[in-house]
Every structure is written in C-alpha cells, then in structure tokens.
Amino acid sequence: MLGLVAYGAFAQLDHSYNANPGRVILEVPSREVDAMNQLNTILAGQWSVKFLEWGRTGADVCSWEGVGCTGAADAEHAAGNMGGIKSIKITAKSGTFPTSFNLAKLFPKLKSFEISGGIRGTLPKDLCGDSRTGPHSELEDFKIERSFDVYGVVPEACWLGEELKEFSIKRTRLAGKIPRRFGEPSQGANMKLQLEAFDVTNSRLTGTLPRSIANFPNLKSMLVDRARLEGGFPEYLPSSLKECSLSPQYTGSKDANAKLRQVQPGSSKYSDTPFDCPVPATLPEVCLATAYCKVVPPPKATTKEKKVTLPTGTLYKACARKDYDFLDEFEAQSEVECESSSCFLPGLGVAVAVAVGMGVLASVFLWYKDKKRKEKNEEEALKETTTGYDMSKLPIPEAKLPPADSNGTDKN
C-alpha cells in the first residue's frame, strides 16, 4: 500500500518526465494520471496478456500500453493548452470493475474506451456519466467484449453519446434493453447519428430492436444474432449496411432457394429464433440472408389473455416526466405505439373529465342550497297568511290569584 501511495505521489510530480528524449511528451493533467494509477491498481498491474506492468514504463502515461493521448508541444503548454488521454484499450488478465468510475469526469477528452479479457463484475453506473442531468462522456468507441464474467446492465449514457461511432458488448453477459431514446436526436440522444458499427452478438440484451436503428445513415455493420432480442423485425434498416446478422444461421425451410427462412413451432431451433414472422420485404438484401423468423401460432379460441389496462392519468404523468420504461411497458400491454399525441390526449381527457365532474358537483350543491332557502321562505310566508299576525309577538297576560284570609287560606 505504501508503495502505491509513493508511486502515485511520484507520478503527480513527474508525469511529464521524458524517458525518451527524442520524443515530445504530451503532458496530461495530474487527475488523469491518478485515474490511470487507479486502473493499474484495479488490474493488479496486468494491463494486457503480455503481463506488462505499467509501473515499469515510467510516469509518462502516454507511453503506456494501450493508451493514446492528445495535446500540444511544451511551448503551447505555457498558454494553458493541456493535453489529455484520448484512448484506453485494455486486454485484461484479471481485475474487477469498481463501483464508481466516471469517464466523463476523469478523462474529459477520452474518445475510445475498450476492455476485453479477464476483467469481471458489473459496469459502474456512472461509467459514461449522466446523459440527462450531468456531464457525460462523448465517446466515439465504446467496447466491452469477450468476457463472460462481465454482467449487469449497460448504463444508459453509454448508448446515447453524441459522437458514438462504434458500440459493442459482444460475448459478454451484459443485459438490459436498448434505450427508447437510442437514435433519436429529437430526444437529445446520438445527436450526430454517426454510428457505424453495432455489435451485441452473444450478449444477454433483451427487448426489441428499435425502429430508430434506421436513423443511422452511416451504419455499415449490425450484428445482433444470439442475443436475447425478441418481437418483430424493424420495418426498415439503413441501406448503408455492408454486414448484417440478425439470427443464427440455420436452415428452417424446406425450400433451398428461400431467402426468408421460417422456423415452425416444435422445431429444436424455435426457442433460439429471436424475431417473429413475417420478415419485411423492405429489409436490405444483406440482412435478408439471416432474417430467420419464428412462426407465432394464433391464440387458441378458448384462451383469453387478461390484458392489464393502465389508467390514462398514469400514462399522462409518465409522458410528462419522460418515464420511458413505463411507456415501453404500456406499449407492450396495449400493443400500440405511444406517440406524444396519444399520451397528451388521454391526459387532457382526464383533466376535462375531472373539471366537468367538479362543475356538476358544484351545480348540484348550489341547486340544493337554493331549494332549502326557498322552502324556508315558503314556510314563513304560510305562517303569516294563516294567523294574520305573528302570534309570537303578542304580550303575555299576568295571572290574577284570589285574596287569602288571615289564616293564609283561600276563602273558597
């Protein structure tokens, strides 16, 4: 432990040391050196399968295995133009992800983050920052690959980077769903739509492949086979695709010339086929070759599925606070697409119904109050008509008693 502390102090003081006088040092902030030292500790110094220990390469982090830097010459540093780490590529022999490791705060200029190999554990929730309220990383490449000891959910911010070009979680146990906002610049996600490669092969990703995947005009490679996606195919996929794999490649049709393979119920491959039939004819030719689909039998006439109805008021609140998980659940139950208008109008209808109901109650109350007032007035008028005057106002006569005798007894 003391050795690590001493090494960290040395790195802060001497991180611009030039072990190779013939090479220009790209100086990086001390906080980035500290973060790299933390990574080195997490990986027990085994940064790659070559057993390269960073501690033996000098404090110049830009010379470390798998690290790339961006910056300017020393002359420009005087003007405050500090460089930074732009790429980290880890082929780990061992190590465990920490509970917190925010790339957006630790490496503001980082563009590429790749990890593969023997690292294990769940991804930190703040790995890519916060896509909604806080700073988030602007990675171009995000790859966690070839490690079945990595599991859990991919943080939302890692999907939605403005400059994201390559995304891969292949051959991991990473799960969760593709965020609803993926590929939707109107909702503040993937603003530049630069995605070129998308690979979730052999992962535990669930849910559906969103239609918004078609919004990426430069997508050249899309590999989603052997994931745990389900539902129907998107109606359209980018025409720019050069490589496409939708389902495991096996023959499910007796027609050797058929392009659209259909897997029938009872087939040993039925449960392994993610997408439901039919296959849209609008898919690019390169995708049709692997567009296997399972034939979903019609529901039995005697079986009635109980559909859960969600209150429209709740739906309106979910729209207002952008609770996309709730909206996805609503779509799955109601089998309709929840557009902004379909969320707004039911909520408006509820508001109108409540207002009308309150108005009716107020009218009934005022009518009842007016009725009681009229009845009281009618009773008073009837009393005056019968007697001609108010009997309650007549004087009360005094009672006269007979005189008493001297013995105090009545003469009668």
Side-chain angles (χ1 to χ4, degrees):
M1 180 61 70
L2 293 176
L4 290 175
V5 173
Y7 175 74
F10 173 77
Q12 292 185 25
L13 294 174
D14 198 34
H15 63 268
S16 62
Y17 171 73
N18 191 350
N20 182 1
R23 185 176 61 85
V24 176
I25 294 297
L26 299 178
E27 188 176 2
V28 299
S30 60
R31 67 175 181 275
E32 296 192 19
V33 177
D34 294 340
M36 296 302 292
N37 287 331
Q38 181 183 354
L39 273 179
N40 190 43
T41 302
I42 292 169
L43 300 172
Q46 297 179 6
W47 186 248
S48 72
V49 292
K50 300 177 182 178
F51 296 95
L52 174 66
E53 294 186 7
W54 276 356
R56 297 179 181 176
T57 64
D60 177 17
V61 296
C62 297
S63 68
W64 291 4
E65 179 81 4
V67 178
C69 296
T70 181
D74 290 339
E76 296 181 354
H77 288 171
N81 189 2
M82 182 71 72
I85 295 174
K86 68 174 182 180
S87 63
I88 299 174
K89 185 175 182 179
I90 305 172
T91 306
K93 185 68 175 178
S94 64
T96 303
F97 281 109
T99 55
S100 176
F101 198 78
N102 192 324
L103 295 174
K105 292 182 178 179
L106 297 174
F107 308 106
K109 298 185 179 182
L110 189 66
K111 292 298 183 181
S112 178
F113 186 71
E114 303 181 31
I115 296 183
S116 61
I119 196 166
R120 63 180 64 88
T122 59
L123 298 183
K125 293 182 179 180
D126 62 350
L127 182 62
C128 298
D130 190 332
S131 62
R132 296 178 183 270
T133 60
H136 56 279
S137 63
E138 293 298 343
L139 292 174
E140 294 180 359
D141 303 333
F142 178 81
K143 298 179 181 180
I144 310 291
E145 302 176 331
R146 298 188 297 278
S147 179
F148 286 108
D149 291 324
V150 177
Y151 50 88
V153 177
V154 180
E156 183 183 56
C158 296
W159 294 89
L160 307 179
E162 179 178 342
E163 301 180 5
L164 187 65
K165 292 182 178 180
E166 295 188 25
F167 182 93
S168 176
I169 55 172
K170 68 180 180 181
R171 296 181 63 186
T172 66
R173 289 197 292 163
L174 289 171
K177 297 181 179 180
I178 301 175
R180 181 185 176 89
R181 295 193 294 155
F182 184 64
E184 294 288 356
S186 62
Q187 298 182 22
N190 310 110
M191 297 297 291
K192 296 184 179 180
L193 293 177
Q194 294 182 337
L195 188 66
E196 298 179 359
F198 183 76
D199 191 348
V200 296
T201 303
N202 210 2
S203 68
R204 296 192 176 182
L205 197 66
T206 59
T208 59
L209 187 62
R211 295 180 303 172
S212 57
I213 196 76
N215 293 341
F216 294 101
N218 301 319
L219 188 61
K220 296 179 176 61
S221 176
M222 187 181 73
L223 309 176
V224 301
D225 59 285
R226 295 187 298 281
R228 298 186 178 182
L229 298 173
E230 58 186 1
F233 291 94
E235 187 174 358
Y236 296 96
L237 290 174
S239 58
S240 57
L241 282 170
K242 305 298 182 183
E243 182 181 20
C244 181
S245 181
L246 298 175
S247 303
Q249 299 186 23
Y250 47 76
T251 301
S253 172
K254 295 181 179 180
D255 183 1
N257 297 321
K259 292 182 179 179
L260 308 182
R261 307 287 199 265
Q262 295 185 349
V263 182
Q264 300 294 332
S267 168
S268 60
K269 300 296 184 180
Y270 190 82
S271 61
D272 296 329
T273 305
F275 297 105
D276 299 339
C277 294
V279 176
T282 51
L283 295 182
E285 187 72 21
V286 69
C287 294
L288 291 177
T290 60
Y292 295 87
C293 67
K294 58 185 177 184
V295 178
V296 180
K300 297 180 180 179
T302 56
T303 303
K304 293 184 179 180
E305 295 183 359
K306 184 178 179 181
K307 183 175 293 186
V308 179
T309 303
L310 300 176
T312 54
T314 304
L315 175 62
Y316 175 72
K317 292 179 181 179
C319 287
R321 63 175 179 261
K322 297 182 179 180
D323 188 347
Y324 297 110
D325 292 335
F326 183 92
L327 297 176
D328 289 337
E329 183 69 18
F330 174 79
E331 288 185 0
Q333 292 180 9
S334 60
E335 300 180 354
V336 298
E337 183 76 13
C338 180
E339 303 293 348
S340 57
S341 58
S342 65
C343 292
F344 172 75
L345 292 178
L348 180 62
V350 171
V352 171
V354 171
V356 171
M358 294 181 64
V360 171
L361 290 175
S363 300
V364 171
F365 174 76
L366 293 175
W367 170 82
Y368 180 76
K369 185 176 181 181
D370 185 65
K371 178 181 178 183
K372 298 301 290 184
R373 182 180 59 78
K374 289 181 178 179
E375 290 178 352
K376 184 177 180 180
N377 293 340
E378 289 177 356
E379 290 179 358
E380 293 178 354
L382 180 62
K383 186 183 295 184
E384 292 180 0
T385 302
T386 303
T387 61
Y389 50 83
D390 191 350
M391 298 294 294
S392 63
K393 297 180 180 179
L394 292 177
I396 301 175
E398 296 181 359
K400 295 181 178 181
L401 300 176
D405 58 12
S406 59
N407 295 327
T409 58
D410 192 343
K411 292 181 178 183
N412 296 331

